[in-house]
Amino acid sequence: MDDPVAATLREDPTMAALVDRHGPLDVAPADDEFGRLCTSIVNQQLSTASANAIRERFVAELDGDVTPERVLAADESALREAGLSATKVEYLRNAAAAFRDGDGEFTRAGLAGVSDEAVVDRLTEIRGVGAWTARMYLIFALGREDVLPLGDLAVRKGIDRAYNDGEELSRAEMREIGEAWRPYRSYGTRYIWAEYES
């Protein structure tokens, strides 16, 4: 994490404590945007432990090579045996078809210069990619630095815990807290996740 990020986050005393506790965390684009989108689809509405186990089996089923072509060619029953629901298999195939047919539209290069909200709009046209998944894509696939994904339960619970002794805050209150982290809200989000999981 470079100095402007740390300096900005440290202006918020609560966040400064999290930065000290968890050390440098980065927001770097993924080497493989499609693989990262698949990870977010697998993770939808699952605990971290369940998602990790299913994702490992899913990747193994594709011989470690998560490409649109392999997802589309994979045997559905084998994907189901890996722990994916029929719905998630459908969602993964929808994403694979969009990437295969999109001629680079969803890559970092294809989305360069496109606003975060416009990226969310484009991605959510893929059936099975909702706003939460699209925001995970912004952070983890594209490395966008100013995303505050309040659709994520762990983010909301983490903010409640760090800023309000675990008592529930409204999303408007959470957005106000996040204003202090601009233009690095993705980094703030990573610290909230780290604190929530610790």
Side-chain angles (χ1 to χ4, degrees), residues 52-71:
N52 287 343
I54 293 169
R55 188 175 64 251
E56 282 179 18
R57 293 195 297 269
F58 164 66
V59 171
E61 190 57 42
L62 302 179
D63 295 324
D65 190 18
V66 181
T67 64
E69 294 72 23
R70 279 182 177 260
V71 169

Side-chain angles (χ1 to χ4, degrees), residues 39-167:
T39 294
S40 292
I41 291 172
V42 171
N43 290 356
Q44 290 171 357
Q45 299 180 319
L46 289 177
S47 71
T48 303
S50 296
N52 287 343
I54 293 169
R55 188 175 64 251
E56 282 179 18
R57 293 195 297 269
F58 164 66
V59 171
E61 190 57 42
L62 302 179
D63 295 324
D65 190 18
V66 181
T67 64
E69 294 72 23
R70 279 182 177 260
V71 169
L72 291 166
D75 179 68
E76 180 167 355
S77 60
L79 294 177
R80 294 292 310 279
E81 284 173 25
L84 293 163
S85 66
T87 304
K88 283 206 181 162
V89 172
E90 179 198 342
Y91 291 173
L92 288 162
R93 289 197 163 150
N94 291 343
F99 266 73
R100 180 196 61 194
D101 301 337
D103 197 28
E105 176 188 356
F106 299 108
T107 63
R108 259 191 316 289
L111 292 169
V114 178
S115 74
D116 291 351
E117 285 313 308
V119 172
V120 170
D121 290 342
R122 279 192 203 177
L123 283 167
T124 53
E125 288 176 9
I126 303 169
R127 181 171 149 70
V129 176
W132 177 86
T133 304
R135 288 195 169 86
M136 295 304 105
Y137 191 80
L138 284 170
I139 296 171
F140 292 108
L142 302 182
R144 298 283 178 101
E145 293 188 321
D146 195 33
V147 181
L148 181 64
L150 293 181
D152 186 84
L153 181 63
V155 169
R156 295 197 308 275
K157 288 199 173 293
I159 293 173
D160 288 340
R161 187 183 296 170
Y163 286 85
N164 204 37
D165 293 325
E167 294 296 312

